[in-house]
Amino acid sequence: MFGIWLSSRLALRAGSYLWLCFSIPKELKEEVTRILTANNPHAPQNIVRYSFKERAYKPISYVDQLAIHFSLDGNLLLRDSDEGRRQGAKIELAPVESTVIEVEETEVKEEGSKEDIPAVSAEEAGEGEEPPPHSRKEQKLTNQFNFCERASQTFNNPVRERACQMEPPPRATFSATANQWEIYDAYVEELQKLEKSKEKEKQKPLVAKKEDKPRGRKLTSLESQSDDVTKVTKAAKIVERMVNQNTFDDLAQDFKYFEDPADEYRDQEGTLLPLWKFQYDKAKRLAVTAICWNPKYKDLFAVGHGSYDFMKQSRGMLLLYTMKNPSFPEYIFNSESGIMCLDIHNDHPYLLVVGFYDGNVAIYNLKKLHSQPGYKSSAKSGKHTDPVWQVKWQKDDLDNNLNFFSISSDGRIVSWTLVKNELVHSDVIKLSVEGTTMEGPEGLQLQTIGCGTSFDFHKKIDYLFLVGTEEGKIYKCSKSYSSQFLDTFDAHHMAVDAVSWNPYHMKIFISCSSDWTVKIWDHTIKTPMFIFDLNSAVGDVAWAPYSSTIFAAVTTDGKAHVFDLSINKYEAICSQPVVAKKKNKITHVQFNPIYPIIIIGDDRGHVTCLKLSPNLRKMPKEKKGQEIQKGPEVEITKLDKLLNLVREPANKPEK
């Protein structure tokens, strides 16, 4: 039964195979080409792993395509181990197979036969023959899989000795005899050379043209010594700056970028953060009479020292400080008379014009290391007879000569021009008090002279300027008219300490006085637009360079006041004491043109640098769907809106 069943099963399978052979279509018999790639066909393509960072399953893009066909585990033995020593001993005791070198005698088939060759005896042959050389050991190939046999490929550099070598200084033996007359003649020659060099420097123009090239000349022995000293001083200044920047590292890093977060919780009020205090020991008893920032180097400012007391006039000093070195001034200039005012040229930032208490004006050149000014007025050249209270650089004249103005208590406003290395003066206006004419002897008309204290030139209109006087009046003057004023403002009851045009609005100017008030004016209207009473004599006032509505004022009670008309039209948004009330009095204030800081000077010779908090320098807020608009036009419109609000109540008719 089993055999019958097996035969039937085989018959069925053979029949099905034949049926399949006939049923395969021709398409399946066609050859199909396959392209071999480096990718593993068995590698999974959709591996997912859990990401703890995103807390979700993420697919992995990288798939390992490596397929291992053969792997063999090796082993390593240390040479110092027992097994390593055994294998080493076996290798050394292995027999060395000697190779036998068989030399076949070859017949010499050259000219001559064997008879020509002399016969050698057996003894001689035995003596001359050398024993066969021993065969060398076979070099064993290194096992690439045995890391113990590999040599290190890193190269250890040999230790070197480093030493500093220098050439010895040149030496020479010199001997001579010196008498009194020889020493005297040597000093006379040196003095003559110095006088000639000074005369040549006076003949040179103050501002050198680009075409002119400095001609080289031989240096005298004293000049060469001074050059060596200047090299040392430059290196010492650099080291001193580095030390100061390390000691004041926090302030140097933060004064530009750090903001006070407490301003968000104050009701639109701000604060002044003290940064540095600049002082010089020799200027402690002198008051700060003038402050001015350098227009090119924004961290450099000049300070003039003198005295406002008539009974305590002695000397003066001109110091230049930088915020990179708060401990010591960069430049020091001494003067016989006290300095009352100063100004730095916009195009030539190394030129400083200074006004003195004795009525003289002078120009200092920072490029020259002389302690004396390069140019100074005198009684012959038309100096003032009273203290010079303010000086201002102006644009060069038509002949490209340097030009500046000065004002004094003698009632003269003088224009000074540097022509052929000499100061030439011309009186622009002589101030006079209106309604004070008196009859003198023989019917002469005597008029009382006005005492000028301050002045400021318009930012856009060149000929227009304002003059403040001791009588409390402000005159609007023109360079073209020297006999009369364009307009007169009865501004204050006491002396006008400062007058300043608004940097953005062409019609607005500000004034301060010792009568405790600060007033804002429109020069087309006789009455002030704003009046602020600060309960103490106001020493100075200054507009902010970044806004048309912000200004700062300092008073003699030691306080600094910052106003923002767009926030509060009645009170200051910051009133902060800067110095001690009983000891010091603040004299001057100035805004930095770039950084959010101000500098304040007092009558003890100290200059304090303070940072404005964010509320004191607010910019317009961004509205929805609109971008922040910046620029002078925006500041003008902002101030115009405030002025219109002030004018509206005055224009309304009374009921």
Side-chain angles (χ1 to χ4, degrees):
M1 289 294 291
F2 179 74
I4 297 168
W5 176 78
L6 183 61
S7 61
S8 62
R9 292 289 293 177
L10 291 173
L12 287 171
R13 284 192 177 185
S16 61
Y17 177 74
L18 291 173
W19 178 78
L20 285 171
C21 290
F22 288 109
S23 63
I24 291 173
K26 295 181 179 181
E27 295 177 358
L28 297 177
K29 293 181 179 180
E30 294 180 359
E31 294 182 357
V32 179
T33 57
R34 288 189 178 181
I35 300 171
L36 298 177
T37 60
N39 297 332
N40 186 6
H42 301 290
Q45 301 294 331
N46 52 355
I47 299 175
V48 178
R49 288 186 181 175
Y50 186 76
S51 174
F52 290 94
K53 182 179 179 181
E54 300 182 6
R55 297 183 178 180
Y57 286 95
K58 294 289 182 181
I60 296 175
S61 60
Y62 176 75
V63 179
D64 189 9
Q65 305 291 342
L66 179 65
I68 299 172
H69 297 284
F70 174 77
S71 63
L72 178 65
D73 296 332
N75 56 350
L76 297 176
L77 289 177
L78 294 175
R79 288 184 177 180
D80 298 336
S81 62
D82 296 338
E83 187 66 25
R85 289 172 185 171
R86 290 172 191 164
Q87 290 188 7
K90 289 180 181 179
I91 294 170
E92 289 177 359
L93 295 175
V96 179
E97 296 179 357
S98 60
T99 58
V100 180
I101 301 171
E102 295 181 357
V103 179
E104 296 181 357
E105 295 181 359
T106 56
E107 294 181 356
V108 180
K109 295 182 179 181
E110 295 177 358
E111 293 181 359
S113 59
K114 291 182 181 179
E115 295 176 358
D116 296 335
I117 301 171
V120 183
S121 62
E123 295 178 359
E124 292 177 358
E127 293 176 359
E129 287 180 0
E130 294 180 359
H134 295 287
S135 63
R136 296 179 181 177
K137 284 186 177 181
E138 292 181 357
Q139 290 184 354
K140 186 181 178 183
L141 297 176
T142 58
N143 185 3
Q144 294 183 359
F145 298 99
N146 188 359
F147 294 95
C148 294
E149 296 180 0
R150 292 189 181 184
S152 176
Q153 295 180 353
T154 56
F155 179 73
N156 296 325
N157 293 320
V159 181
R160 296 180 181 179
E161 293 183 358
R162 294 183 180 180
C164 180
Q165 295 182 356
M166 60 175 289
E167 296 180 359
R171 297 180 181 179
T173 57
F174 175 77
S175 62
T177 58
N179 298 325
Q180 292 182 356
W181 57 84
E182 290 180 356
I183 297 171
Y184 177 77
D185 292 340
Y187 275 106
V188 170
E189 288 180 2
E190 195 70 31
L191 290 173
Q192 288 177 355
K193 290 179 182 178
L194 288 173
E195 289 176 358
K196 288 180 181 179
S197 62
K198 288 180 180 179
E199 290 177 359
K200 289 181 180 179
E201 288 179 357
K202 288 182 179 179
Q203 293 176 0
K204 290 181 181 180
L206 185 63
V207 182
K209 297 180 180 178
K210 294 182 180 178
E211 298 176 358
D212 298 340
K213 295 181 179 179
R215 297 178 181 177
R217 61 181 179 85
K218 294 182 179 180
L219 296 173
T220 59
S221 60
L222 290 176
E223 288 176 344
S224 61
Q225 290 176 4
S226 65
D227 290 342
D228 296 338
V229 173
T230 53
K231 291 178 181 178
V232 176
T233 53
K234 286 182 180 179
K237 279 186 178 181
I238 293 170
V239 173
E240 188 178 13
R241 283 188 180 185
M242 294 168 66
V243 172
N244 277 286
Q245 285 182 5
N246 287 333
T247 53
F248 300 103
D249 184 54
D250 296 338
L251 293 178
Q253 296 288 340
D254 294 343
F255 87 96
K256 297 180 187 177
Y257 311 108
F258 177 74
E259 301 295 351
D260 188 6
D263 273 20
E264 298 178 2
Y265 306 100
R266 298 190 183 102
D267 188 14
Q268 295 182 341
E269 293 182 357
T271 56
L272 296 172
L273 175 67
L275 296 177
W276 297 285
K277 195 171 187 179
F278 301 89
Q279 58 186 3
Y280 184 51
D281 293 338
K282 295 182 180 179
K284 277 185 177 179
R285 297 180 182 178
L286 300 174
V288 175
T289 54
I291 293 177
C292 184
W293 287 100
N294 193 292
K296 183 178 180 181
Y297 305 100
K298 306 304 180 183
D299 60 330
L300 186 69
F301 61 92
V303 181
H305 291 273
S307 177
Y308 289 113
D309 192 350
F310 175 75
M311 301 300 294
K312 295 181 181 179
Q313 292 298 324
S314 58
R315 59 186 178 87
M317 293 190 76
L318 174 62
L319 305 177
L320 280 93
Y321 291 98
T322 175
M323 291 188 292
K324 297 175 182 176
N325 184 10
S327 63
F328 199 80
E330 291 289 308
Y331 297 93
I332 302 171
F333 299 97
N334 295 303
S335 62
E336 297 177 356
S337 179
I339 294 174
M340 293 289 105
C341 53
L342 61 89
D343 192 26
I344 303 176
H345 203 285
N346 284 325
D347 299 329
H348 308 290
Y350 54 89
L351 295 180
L352 282 84
V353 60
V354 174
F356 296 97
Y357 191 85
D358 59 1
N360 281 315
V361 292
I363 298 175
Y364 285 88
N365 189 354
L366 299 181
K367 287 188 175 181
K368 296 181 180 179
L369 300 176
H370 302 296
S371 60
Q372 297 300 322
Y375 301 91
K376 191 175 183 180
S377 63
S378 62
K380 294 181 181 179
S381 61
K383 80 177 190 70
H384 293 279
T385 56
D386 280 350
V388 181
W389 295 112
Q390 199 160 4
V391 288
K392 287 278 186 182
W393 283 106
Q394 292 297 301
K395 293 181 180 179
D396 299 347
D397 60 3
L398 297 175
D399 297 329
N400 293 327
N401 295 320
L402 296 174
N403 180 29
F404 66 90
F405 278 61
S406 64
I407 188 170
S408 172
S409 300
D410 60 0
R412 295 167 57 208
I413 299 174
V414 184
S415 172
W416 301 87
T417 308
L418 193 66
V419 181
K420 294 182 180 179
N421 300 324
E422 292 182 1
L423 283 174
V424 179
H425 79 286
S426 62
D427 291 352
V428 178
I429 283 181
K430 290 185 178 180
L431 300 175
S432 60
V433 181
E434 295 180 356
T436 57
T437 54
M438 299 173 61
E439 290 187 3
E442 298 179 359
L444 293 174
Q445 296 290 328
L446 300 177
Q447 195 168 12
T448 306
I449 296 173
C451 299
T453 56
S454 60
F455 69 108
D456 191 25
F457 290 86
H458 201 278
K459 304 297 187 290
K460 298 291 179 65
I461 307 171
D462 293 334
Y463 64 85
L464 190 64
F465 64 97
L466 298 168
V467 178
T469 60
E470 285 186 4
E471 295 80 24
K473 293 185 178 181
I474 297 175
Y475 299 111
K476 185 167 66 172
C477 307
S478 173
K479 296 179 184 178
S480 305
Y481 303 100
S482 59
S483 59
Q484 58 184 357
F485 308 122
L486 298 179
D487 206 347
T488 304
F489 301 91
D490 294 328
H492 299 276
H493 302 293
M494 296 180 72
V496 180
D497 293 327
V499 175
S500 179
W501 287 98
N502 191 288
Y504 294 97
H505 204 289
M506 296 178 63
K507 293 183 179 181
I508 306 301
F509 68 92
I510 194 170
S511 64
C512 69
S513 171
S514 301
D515 63 356
W516 299 7
T517 60
V518 174
K519 297 182 180 181
I520 297 176
W521 304 77
D522 186 339
H523 77 90
T524 59
I525 303 173
K526 286 291 189 76
T527 57
M529 308 298 293
F530 295 95
I531 301 174
F532 301 99
D533 191 348
L534 301 182
N535 298 324
S536 184
V538 185
D540 195 9
V541 68
W543 288 105
Y546 52 85
S547 177
S548 63
T549 59
I550 298 177
F551 64 91
V554 291
T555 52
T556 54
D557 61 352
K559 288 184 179 181
H561 308 268
V562 181
F563 291 82
D564 190 349
L565 300 178
S566 62
I567 294 175
N568 194 337
K569 299 188 289 294
Y570 306 103
E571 294 179 352
I573 59 174
C574 176
S575 294
Q576 184 172 323
V578 178
V579 294
K581 182 179 179 181
K582 296 180 180 179
K583 297 181 180 179
N584 298 4
K585 294 179 181 179
I586 299 179
T587 55
H588 288 278
V589 62
Q590 280 290 327
F591 282 87
N592 188 284
I594 289 182
Y595 303 130
I597 58 175
I598 59 172
I599 50 174
I600 294 174
D602 56 27
D603 63 348
R604 292 298 180 97
H606 299 161
V607 179
T608 308
C609 181
L610 303 104
K611 181 178 178 180
L612 302 164
S613 65
N615 282 353
L616 301 182
R617 43 190 170 87
K618 273 189 176 180
M619 302 304 291
K621 293 183 179 180
E622 183 179 1
K623 296 181 181 179
K624 292 184 178 180
Q626 295 182 359
E627 295 181 356
I628 296 177
Q629 295 179 353
K630 297 180 182 179
E633 296 178 357
V634 178
E635 297 296 334
I636 292 169
T637 54
K638 184 169 67 172
L639 189 55
D640 274 333
K641 289 179 181 179
L642 291 170
L643 296 176
N644 291 331
L645 291 173
V646 176
R647 290 168 186 157
E648 280 177 3
N651 295 333
K652 286 182 180 180
E654 296 181 0
K655 293 182 180 180

